[in-house]
């Protein structure tokens, strides 16, 4: 990202999403902006060298420094982007520097703090209180008041819960004990969420940043245009395909909306789609990126760490639902295009898929390496480090390869590939030496120097893009700390279990509503962490498999960003669509029908998430998984027909109700509903065939 790019050039600059996300903005052009630019680079470099174990730090220090960098960069950057007055700038820099001071204090006092745990000094308490205030303030500035308000309510419960009546009352905790629990150790601010943020998540954000710099967005857009641009509703189908591809590397719904929305939404409007529908397609498609393997979103890494399972297990559970989600998006767009008679684009104005792949095929290699490592059982941290090193090799090697003849170029890439592979035998040092050599060579000629500047900008972009995720993980640690200190999660869990004893469906419905309510103003990450800590154990006790119970919460955390009245993703799309975020959200909810249906189906049919298949032979697994997938696809297709009111021709109200009945019967997992659903499906298809044929005969 060019540090001289003016923020006003970005149509998403408005605070339209309900919070101010600095990851979607450019750095200011002033001297202050340049200072922040290099702080972001320092942040990224620190994270890379610790991930590669070039600098080994205790986990507690790593987490503290990560939070320190978030404050140092976040406070003044948001203030500068909002163009606040001098007083606010002074305060923001003061808060940023104080965040770094706290990190330094925890680093210096690391061993003494361990030895005096349970008997903190007044100085420790002071810095602990300041840390809490800063984290809550950072959440307010970066993400809006909602998450800060929720975390503050939970923190207040620690202090005043002993005065509450009935089941909400706890035994009471000393002020020092609360501060120690929240500001030191690994239960509060520096808990599992911030650990995941400072390891896996940051690396994958940086990985996506480098891929974007290398031209991955253009490759995805060209491939999507070439494959789907000419089909019915082509521009919207391009949006669905490009967002799915983008989701594999970014894992951020809001970032996807802002990145691809500026291209896809005007394209859809140009070819006849309403502004609300165009924005809804982009918001819905982009949010699906968080459940799209192999990278998915930050929540997937947090879930793997929380559940103590390999990341591959999360990917395995997500893959079929993710496909169903995008099948639903594609189908809804297809029906809407048919209903409005919206045709595709002319093939003459579309890029060639073959030419696009010939030009940028090498950009896919880092993704292939990443997927291989993740599916081979390597940790996300290891896979992310290797994937990042590989994309840096490609970026730094491209200018050098461009100066060589054809055969020398092939030999160069083969040699670079062998160097990359040698990492498995010789360790990280060979990667560091090789990158240093490539950097030195790139200094020699102009094209190489431009490439180095692009890498520098990618480092800054990665540091900046990590702010919303990191701040959310830090402040939600306060919520988790409250739950672990007071045991409040058990209180709610008992209520969910009591409801579930009479009806599991009502427990699921209650959990869904909580996710959607919490999602009114807070992003998916804190939404998932809070609801999974509260409802996850309760659903497990009701017999819902562990991963499915967490995926259930995850899905509705995503749906919360599409659901009115807040709908963060829809309001992020509003400036591009030039339409009300509320109207966009109404379209998005209709398009995201699979996101509401699949989690419920997975609870009653775990095969949909490839769960409950242990000790079964391969033929039984294939049959059971195939059956539930076919049933889910048909249910989604008929839900789409009912929602849009179109199937080769417009449907009347009775036909739409009939289609809805087919879908509901296939979704509900009780005896005879499947058989009845399939029977009604065939009956409807025959009825529509005869009606369509008769109408054509009359027209002729």
């Amino acid at each position: 990202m060019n540090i001289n790019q003016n923020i006003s050039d970005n149509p998403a600059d408005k605070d339209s999403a309900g919070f101010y996300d600095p990851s979607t903005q450019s750095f200011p052009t002033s001297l202050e902006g340049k200072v922040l630019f290099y702080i972001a680079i320092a942040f990224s470099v620190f994270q890379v060298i610790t991930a590669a174990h070039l600098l080994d730090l205790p986990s507690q220090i790593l987490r503290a420094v990560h939070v320190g960098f978030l404050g140092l960069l976040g406070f003044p950057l948001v203030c500068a982007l909002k163009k606040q007055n001098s007083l606010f700038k002074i305060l923001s820099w003061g808060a940023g520097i104080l965040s770094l001071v706290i990190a330094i204090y925890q680093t210096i006092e690391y061993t003494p703090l361990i030895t005096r745990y349970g008997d903190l000094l007044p100085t420790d308490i002071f810095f602990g209180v300041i840390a809490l205030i800063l984290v809550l303030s950072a959440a307010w500035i970066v993400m809006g008041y909602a998450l800060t308000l929720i975390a503050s309510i939970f923190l207040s419960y620690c202090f005043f819960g002993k005065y509450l009546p009935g089941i909400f009352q706890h035994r009471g905790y000393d002020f020092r004990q609360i501060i120690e629990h929240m500001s030191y150790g690994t239960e509060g601010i520096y808990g599992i969420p911030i650990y995941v943020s400072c390891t896996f998540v940051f690396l994958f954000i940086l990985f996506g940043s480098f891929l974007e710099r290398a031209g991955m967005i253009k490759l995805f857009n060209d491939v999507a245009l070439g494959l789907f641009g000419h089909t019915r509703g082509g521009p919207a189908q391009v949006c669905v395909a490009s967002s799915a591809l983008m989701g594999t590397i970014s894992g951020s719904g809001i970032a996807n909306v802002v990145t691809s929305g500026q291209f896809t939404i005007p394209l859809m409007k140009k070819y006849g789609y309403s502004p609300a529908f165009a924005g809804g397609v982009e918001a819905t498609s982009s949010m699906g990126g968080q459940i799209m393997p192999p990278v998915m979103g930050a929540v997937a890494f947090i879930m793997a760490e929380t559940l103590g399972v390999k990341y591959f297990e999360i990917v395995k559970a997500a893959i079929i639902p993710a496909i169903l989600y995008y099948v639903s998006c594609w189908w809804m767009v297809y029906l809407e295009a048919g209903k409005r008679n919206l045709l595709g684009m002319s093939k003459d104005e579309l890029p060639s898929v073959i030419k696009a792949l010939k030009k940028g095929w090498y950009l896919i290699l880092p993704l292939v390496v990443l997927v291989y490592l993740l599916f081979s059982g390597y940790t996300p941290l290891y896979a992310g480090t290797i994937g990042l090193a590989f994309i840096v090799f490609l970026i730094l090697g491209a200018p050098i390869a461009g100066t060589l003849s054809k055969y020398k170029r092939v030999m160069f890439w083969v040699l670079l590939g062998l160097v990359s592979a040698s990492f498995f035998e010789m360790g990280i040092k060979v990667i560091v030496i090789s990158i240093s050599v490539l950097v030195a060579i790139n200094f020699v000629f102009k094209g190489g120097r431009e490439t180095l500047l692009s890498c520098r900008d990618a480092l800054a972009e990665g540091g900046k893009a990590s702010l919303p995720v990191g701040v959310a993980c830090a402040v939600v640690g306060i919520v988790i700390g409250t739950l672990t200190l007071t045991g409040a999660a058990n209180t709610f869990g008992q209520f969910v279990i009591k409801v579930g004893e009479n009806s599991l469906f009502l427990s699921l419905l209650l959990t869904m509503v909580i996710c959607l309510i919490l999602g009114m103003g807070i992003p998916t990450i804190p939404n998932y962490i809070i609801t999974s800590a509260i409802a996850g154990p309760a659903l497990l006790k009701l017999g819902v498999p562990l991963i499915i119970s967490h995926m259930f919460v995850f899905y509705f955390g995503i749906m919360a960003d599409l659901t009115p009245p807040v709908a963060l993703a829809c309001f992020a799309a509003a400036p591009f669509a030039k339409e009300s975020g509320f109207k966009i959200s109404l379209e998005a909810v209709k398009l995201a029908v699979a996101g509401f249906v699949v989690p419920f189906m997975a609870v009653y049919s775990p095969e949909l998430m490839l769960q409950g298949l242990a000790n079964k032979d391969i033929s039984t697994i294939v049959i059971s998984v195939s059956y539930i997938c076919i049933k889910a696809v048909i249910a989604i297709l008929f839900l789409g027909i009912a929602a849009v009111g179109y199937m080769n021709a417009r449907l009347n109200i009775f036909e739409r109700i009939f289609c809805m009945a087919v879908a509901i019967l296939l979704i509900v997992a009780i005896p005879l509903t499947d058989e009845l659903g399939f029977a009604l499906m065939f009956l409807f298809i025959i009825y529509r065939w005869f009606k369509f044929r008769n109408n054509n005969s009359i027209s002729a």
Side-chain angles (χ1 to χ4, degrees):
M1 179 171 290
N2 191 332
I3 61 175
N4 296 317
Q5 179 184 342
N6 196 306
I7 183 174
S8 62
D9 295 337
N10 190 338
D13 289 342
K14 299 176 183 178
D15 190 16
S16 57
F19 65 97
Y20 201 80
D21 184 351
S23 69
T24 61
Q25 313 300 323
S26 177
F27 284 93
T29 57
S30 61
L31 175 62
E32 180 187 31
K34 292 180 180 179
V35 172
L36 291 167
F37 180 81
Y38 286 103
I39 290 175
I41 293 174
F43 189 12
S44 293
V45 170
F46 169 78
Q47 293 294 158
V48 170
I49 62 175
T50 53
H53 297 290
L54 297 175
L55 176 63
D56 280 319
L57 294 175
S59 178
Q60 186 69 27
I61 293 178
L62 177 61
R63 302 179 199 200
V65 175
H66 182 76
V67 174
F69 263 118
L70 290 172
L72 178 63
L73 180 62
F75 281 110
L77 178 59
V78 174
C79 185
L81 291 173
K82 285 187 173 182
K83 299 179 180 177
Q84 298 285 6
N85 59 40
S86 299
L87 176 61
F88 278 101
K89 283 191 176 183
I90 293 171
L91 291 174
S92 67
W93 275 104
I97 293 171
L98 194 54
S99 298
L100 187 62
V101 168
I102 290 173
I104 294 171
Y105 179 79
Q106 292 224 18
T107 301
I108 294 173
E109 294 289 310
Y110 171 66
T111 302
L113 280 169
I114 293 175
T115 58
R116 60 177 179 257
Y117 192 80
D119 187 24
L120 296 184
L121 300 175
T123 310
D124 303 331
I125 299 298
F126 171 78
F127 279 110
V129 171
I130 297 300
L132 281 172
I133 294 172
L134 288 174
V135 166
L136 290 169
S137 302
W140 185 295
I141 290 172
V142 175
M143 318 198 73
Y145 67 87
L147 182 56
T148 301
L149 182 61
I150 291 171
S152 298
I153 291 171
F154 273 84
L155 183 60
S156 299
Y157 180 68
C158 293
F159 291 102
F160 306 112
K162 61 184 178 181
Y163 302 113
L164 295 178
I167 61 173
F168 296 104
Q169 187 181 66
H170 60 65
R171 63 181 179 83
Y173 302 93
D174 180 71
F175 179 82
R176 285 174 172 265
Q177 184 180 0
I178 295 171
I179 299 302
E180 184 174 41
H181 187 80
M182 295 295 178
S183 300
Y184 298 97
T186 57
E187 292 293 337
I189 295 172
Y190 307 109
I192 287 177
I194 206 66
Y195 167 72
V196 174
S197 173
C198 70
T199 51
F200 317 144
V201 174
F202 195 99
L203 269 184
F204 282 89
I205 289 174
L206 203 56
F207 179 77
S209 176
F210 272 90
L211 276 179
E212 289 179 24
R213 286 280 157 189
M216 182 62 87
I217 294 177
K218 186 178 186 308
L219 175 63
F220 283 165
N221 285 338
D222 287 348
V223 170
L225 277 167
L227 288 176
F228 303 105
H230 64 282
T231 61
R232 178 195 283 182
Q237 304 293 18
V238 168
C239 175
V240 174
S242 63
S243 294
L245 292 170
M246 275 295 297
T248 63
I249 62 171
S250 74
S252 171
I254 305 297
N256 273 9
V257 171
V258 175
T259 302
S260 58
Q262 55 190 311
F263 163 73
T264 57
I265 293 176
L267 184 67
M268 285 185 274
K269 290 172 63 179
K270 177 182 176 182
Y271 281 86
Y273 286 95
S274 68
F277 187 80
V281 171
E282 177 58 51
T284 306
S285 304
S286 293
M287 291 309 296
Q290 295 187 70
I291 57 170
M292 188 66 184
V295 177
M296 302 175 66
V299 170
F301 299 107
I302 295 172
M303 190 187 301
E305 191 68 23
T306 302
L307 300 182
V309 300
K310 292 182 178 179
Y311 180 72
F312 167 73
E313 295 297 325
I314 306 300
V315 171
K316 185 178 75 172
I319 192 163
I320 293 177
I323 293 171
L324 291 175
Y325 185 93
Y326 279 104
V327 166
S328 173
C329 290
W330 171 84
W331 179 242
M332 298 295 286
V333 166
Y334 184 82
L335 293 174
E336 189 72 28
K339 183 179 180 180
R340 301 183 184 215
N341 196 29
L342 299 173
L343 304 177
M345 304 160 67
S346 171
K347 287 189 176 182
D348 296 335
E349 58 183 321
L350 298 175
S352 166
V353 175
I354 295 176
K355 287 183 179 178
L357 290 174
K358 277 185 177 179
K359 185 178 180 181
W361 63 270
Y362 62 90
L363 295 173
I364 302 173
L365 293 178
L367 279 177
V368 174
V369 171
L370 184 66
V371 171
Y372 169 77
L373 291 173
L374 287 174
F375 278 64
S376 297
Y378 291 96
T379 66
L381 184 62
Y382 181 89
T385 304
I386 302 305
L388 180 60
F390 198 44
I391 187 60
V392 171
F393 270 1
L394 290 178
I395 293 174
L396 294 177
I400 301 171
T403 64
L404 303 175
S405 63
K406 181 179 179 180
Y407 296 106
K408 289 182 179 179
R409 186 161 58 247
V410 171
M411 291 178 62
F412 171 78
W413 286 120
V414 170
L415 178 62
L416 208 56
L418 291 173
V419 170
S420 302
S422 68
F423 166 81
F424 295 97
E425 294 294 332
M426 301 175 65
I428 195 66
K429 289 183 179 179
V430 69
I431 296 289
V432 174
I433 294 171
S434 302
I435 290 177
S436 301
V437 171
L438 288 174
V439 168
I441 295 174
N442 272 276
F443 265 118
V444 175
F445 47 94
K446 184 179 178 181
R449 290 194 292 274
E450 291 175 350
T451 300
L452 293 177
L453 291 177
S454 182
C455 290
R456 178 204 65 181
D457 293 349
L459 287 169
E461 179 68 25
K464 180 166 62 65
S466 70
L467 286 176
V469 177
V471 170
C473 288
V475 77
V476 85
I478 296 173
V479 176
I480 303 302
T482 299
L483 297 177
T484 56
L485 180 65
T486 65
N490 292 332
T491 302
F492 179 82
Q494 289 170 6
F495 177 70
V496 173
I497 291 170
K498 188 174 182 179
V499 172
E501 288 174 351
N502 299 317
S503 171
L504 175 61
F505 178 76
L506 288 179
S507 290
L508 296 173
L509 200 62
L510 176 62
T511 304
M512 179 192 77
V513 170
I514 292 169
C515 290
L516 296 179
I517 292 174
L518 277 176
M520 293 182 184
I522 67 173
T524 311
I525 295 170
N527 190 343
Y528 160 76
I529 295 173
I530 295 170
T531 49
S532 64
I534 294 173
L539 293 178
L540 180 63
K541 289 184 179 179
L542 290 172
V544 181
L546 185 63
I547 289 181
I548 292 179
S549 66
H550 281 251
M551 291 294 287
F552 185 91
V553 169
F554 181 15
Y555 264 76
F556 285 110
I558 292 173
M559 292 301 102
D561 283 339
L562 300 175
T563 308
V566 179
L568 297 178
C570 299
F571 278 87
F576 304 112
K578 294 181 172 60
E579 181 57 277
S580 160
F582 181 79
K583 291 182 180 179
I584 291 174
S585 69
L586 295 179
E587 295 288 348
V589 169
K590 183 172 69 175
L591 288 163
V593 61
F596 290 94
V597 171
V598 169
F600 283 94
M601 292 189 73
V603 170
Y604 292 102
S605 302
E607 297 89 350
L608 195 62
M609 290 188 181
L610 301 178
Q611 303 298 303
L613 300 175
N615 303 320
K616 292 185 179 180
D617 60 84
I618 188 66
S619 59
T620 304
I621 292 174
V622 171
I623 292 171
S624 59
V625 171
S626 299
Y627 174 75
I628 190 62
C629 288
I630 291 170
K631 192 174 78 160
V633 168
I634 295 172
I636 287 169
L637 296 183
F638 273 81
L639 272 176
I641 294 169
V644 178
Y646 180 86
M647 181 182 173
N648 295 329
R650 290 177 182 267
L651 275 62
N652 59 44
I653 185 64
F654 298 106
E655 290 170 331
R656 294 175 74 169
I657 292 173
F658 194 93
C659 289
M660 182 62 72
V662 171
I664 291 173
L665 286 169
L666 292 174
I667 292 169
V668 177
I670 57 178
L672 298 180
T673 55
D674 285 2
E675 291 83 351
L676 186 57
F678 282 119
L680 293 181
M681 176 195 74
F682 286 116
L683 183 64
F684 181 80
I685 291 172
I686 294 169
Y687 159 76
R688 287 295 297 178
W689 182 78
F690 275 108
K691 183 176 180 179
F692 191 69
R693 191 183 70 167
N694 292 337
N695 288 344
N696 286 342
S697 299
I698 294 171
S699 299

Short mmCIF file of all heavy atoms in Angstrom, two decimals, residues 316 610-617 621:
data_model
loop_
_atom_site.label_atom_id
_atom_site.label_comp_id
_atom_site.label_asym_id
_atom_site.label_seq_id
_atom_site.Cartn_x
_atom_site.Cartn_y
_atom_site.Cartn_z
N LYS A 316 -11.97 -29.98 8.10
CA LYS A 316 -12.78 -31.14 7.67
C LYS A 316 -14.26 -30.91 7.98
O LYS A 316 -15.13 -31.21 7.16
CB LYS A 316 -12.27 -32.40 8.37
CG LYS A 316 -12.95 -33.68 7.91
CD LYS A 316 -12.36 -34.89 8.61
CE LYS A 316 -12.84 -34.99 10.05
NZ LYS A 316 -12.44 -36.26 10.70
N LEU A 610 -18.94 -34.25 8.65
CA LEU A 610 -18.01 -35.39 8.68
C LEU A 610 -17.67 -35.81 10.11
O LEU A 610 -16.53 -36.19 10.41
CB LEU A 610 -16.73 -35.07 7.89
CG LEU A 610 -16.95 -34.70 6.41
CD1 LEU A 610 -15.62 -34.35 5.75
CD2 LEU A 610 -17.64 -35.82 5.66
N GLN A 611 -18.68 -35.74 10.98
CA GLN A 611 -18.51 -36.16 12.36
C GLN A 611 -19.31 -37.44 12.60
O GLN A 611 -20.23 -37.78 11.87
CB GLN A 611 -19.00 -35.07 13.30
CG GLN A 611 -18.31 -33.74 13.11
CD GLN A 611 -16.82 -33.78 13.39
OE1 GLN A 611 -16.39 -34.16 14.48
NE2 GLN A 611 -16.03 -33.40 12.41
N GLY A 612 -18.95 -38.17 13.65
CA GLY A 612 -19.66 -39.39 14.02
C GLY A 612 -19.45 -40.54 13.05
O GLY A 612 -20.31 -41.42 12.92
N LEU A 613 -18.32 -40.53 12.35
CA LEU A 613 -18.07 -41.56 11.34
C LEU A 613 -17.03 -42.59 11.80
O LEU A 613 -16.63 -43.46 11.02
CB LEU A 613 -17.59 -40.90 10.03
CG LEU A 613 -18.57 -39.90 9.39
CD1 LEU A 613 -17.94 -39.24 8.19
CD2 LEU A 613 -19.87 -40.59 9.01
N ALA A 614 -16.57 -42.46 13.03
CA ALA A 614 -15.57 -43.40 13.54
C ALA A 614 -16.14 -44.81 13.61
O ALA A 614 -17.34 -45.01 13.84
CB ALA A 614 -15.10 -42.95 14.93
N ASN A 615 -15.29 -45.77 13.37
CA ASN A 615 -15.65 -47.20 13.44
C ASN A 615 -16.68 -47.62 12.39
O ASN A 615 -17.38 -48.62 12.55
CB ASN A 615 -16.19 -47.56 14.84
CG ASN A 615 -15.21 -47.23 15.94
OD1 ASN A 615 -14.00 -47.44 15.79
ND2 ASN A 615 -15.71 -46.72 17.06
N LYS A 616 -16.80 -46.83 11.32
CA LYS A 616 -17.68 -47.20 10.21
C LYS A 616 -16.84 -47.55 8.99
O LYS A 616 -15.79 -46.92 8.76
CB LYS A 616 -18.65 -46.07 9.88
CG LYS A 616 -19.69 -45.80 10.96
CD LYS A 616 -20.69 -44.74 10.50
CE LYS A 616 -21.75 -44.49 11.56
NZ LYS A 616 -22.73 -43.45 11.14
N ASP A 617 -17.29 -48.53 8.21
CA ASP A 617 -16.54 -48.89 7.01
C ASP A 617 -16.74 -47.82 5.95
O ASP A 617 -17.69 -47.04 5.98
CB ASP A 617 -16.97 -50.27 6.49
CG ASP A 617 -18.44 -50.30 6.13
OD1 ASP A 617 -18.78 -49.90 5.01
OD2 ASP A 617 -19.26 -50.71 7.00
N ILE A 621 -19.74 -44.91 5.17
CA ILE A 621 -19.43 -43.48 5.28
C ILE A 621 -19.83 -42.75 4.00
O ILE A 621 -20.48 -41.70 4.03
CB ILE A 621 -17.93 -43.28 5.57
CG1 ILE A 621 -17.59 -43.78 6.98
CG2 ILE A 621 -17.55 -41.81 5.42
CD1 ILE A 621 -16.12 -43.75 7.30
#
